[in-house]
Amino acid sequence: MSAAREDAPLRCEGLARSFGGLQAVAGVSLALPAGQVTALVGPNGAGKTTLFNLITGNLRADAGAAWVRGRPITGLKPWQVARLGVARSFQDLRLFTHMTVRDNVLAATERSAWFWQPGGAAGRKRRQAAAEAALEATGLAALAGARAIDLAYAERKFLSLARILAAEADIWLLDEPASGLDPASRTRFAELLRAATGRGVAICLIEHNLDVVAELSDRIAFLDQGRVIAEGDPRSILRDPALAAIYFGDRHEPATAAAETTA
Ligand SMILES: Nc1ncnc2c1ncn2[C@@H]1O[C@H](COP(=O)(O)OP(=O)(O)O)[C@@H](O)[C@H]1O
Ligand SMILES: [Mg+2]
């Protein structure tokens, strides 16, 4: 394994998970470098969300392991993984719909499952400042007092991002955060990601729109049937006709990419 892979803030080796007879994730090894967006691309059902769930402890792995900055996280609970600096968004957002926008963001800054928080009054001030900065950065400051349930679709997606920003994590796992955004929102989203990678955040982005992938990602890992079948720079992956055939649902093309790039 290369030194770069060893040094990555987050990496996994051989992660696997079956549901009954279905191998949803079939031995995935991946490293997320600091300061880069790694796009996780693949057809529906490829295992992308399940891979996130295995990393974050939302699902138990049948095999394999994952590390945050060299520390094993296999078997940890989701809140323990979050405390190590891994923030995650969900495809279905999972906001506290009847809480205000501000309280949704504040809740994401809490580092402990307990009512009391470490750091006392100074810690609380710091969390409040982080929440306000996240609201500002995502354009939600004016809506801070609204209930999450009353937000428009794009605003809810930005609220999910504001929660990640406020958590001050240096590893972000984003499950389709840009889907359904209008062009102006997409531009704002791109700026937020660039600002984060500029600070050294390691981002893994599940994204279906290949234009968004081309614009935002530094690397692509292409997942199919639970395996990473290609990994590399976006231009070469997006040009590969065999991968395009898999992605767009036409499997009659010869699968040359699989032979070339399996990790
Ligand atoms: N909790 C679950 N129980 C049973 N099957 C599941 C579960 N979660 C995911 N799957 C199945 O695992 C496969 C991968 O799903 P998923 O990781 O959601 O794919 P993706 O996010 O790439 O679209 C799919 O066939 C899906 O139906
Ligand atoms: Mg998914």
Side-chain angles (χ1 to χ4, degrees):
M1 185 187 304
S2 73
R5 215 175 163 105
E6 287 274 321
D7 290 346
L10 187 139
R11 71 184 176 88
C12 62
E13 288 287 329
L15 279 182
R17 172 71 194 223
S18 296
F19 299 108
L22 175 87
Q23 268 254 286
V25 173
V28 168
S29 302
L30 197 65
L32 301 183
Q36 290 194 20
V37 175
T38 303
L40 197 54
V41 171
N44 283 328
K48 304 179 296 293
T49 297
T50 303
L51 178 62
F52 275 12
N53 284 330
L54 296 178
I55 292 169
T56 56
N58 291 83
L59 276 175
R60 192 179 37 77
D62 296 331
W67 296 263
V68 168
R69 288 178 295 274
R71 183 189 157 148
I73 56 168
T74 321
L76 296 187
K77 302 266 181 273
W79 64 268
Q80 294 174 310
V81 177
R83 269 172 88 167
L84 292 173
V86 181
R88 187 244 168 112
S89 76
F90 290 88
Q91 233 169 313
D92 59 7
L93 301 183
R94 304 197 186 176
L95 303 170
F96 300 110
T97 48
H98 291 274
M99 278 167 40
T100 65
V101 167
R102 176 176 282 117
D103 285 344
N104 265 276
V105 178
L106 270 172
T109 67
E110 294 179 0
R111 293 282 160 130
S112 152
W114 303 94
F115 174 71
W116 56 270
Q117 289 289 312
R124 194 172 70 225
K125 265 212 157 114
R126 181 181 154 77
R127 288 193 299 278
Q128 283 168 345
E132 294 309 315
L135 289 168
E136 204 61 58
T138 50
L140 292 173
L143 292 166
R147 289 186 312 169
I149 198 170
D150 294 324
L151 297 184
Y153 179 77
E155 291 162 351
R156 281 205 290 269
K157 303 223 52 141
F158 278 107
L159 177 51
S160 173
L161 267 176
R163 287 171 50 79
I164 285 180
L165 273 171
E168 301 186 305
D170 54 12
I171 299 161
W172 295 5
L173 307 179
L174 307 178
D175 202 345
E176 304 193 22
S179 65
L181 291 185
D182 57 87
S185 300
R186 246 163 66 181
T187 303
R188 183 187 273 278
F189 172 69
E191 286 164 2
L192 285 171
L193 288 205
R194 275 194 215 102
T197 52
R199 296 193 299 271
V201 175
I203 297 178
C204 190
L205 172 72
I206 297 177
E207 174 56 50
H208 279 290
N209 183 325
L210 297 183
D211 292 330
V212 174
V213 169
E215 184 194 345
L216 287 180
S217 68
D218 301 297
R219 311 162 55 235
I220 293 179
F222 191 102
L223 204 64
D224 184 42
Q225 299 181 347
R227 293 176 198 280
V228 176
I229 61 166
E231 206 179 340
D233 83 276
R235 266 166 310 164
S236 57
I237 301 275
L238 293 173
R239 262 204 312 258
D240 189 317
L243 295 176
I246 290 169
Y247 192 69
F248 294 108
D250 175 8
R251 289 175 184 274
H252 303 300
E253 302 276 325
T256 52
E260 185 190 330
T261 43
T262 298

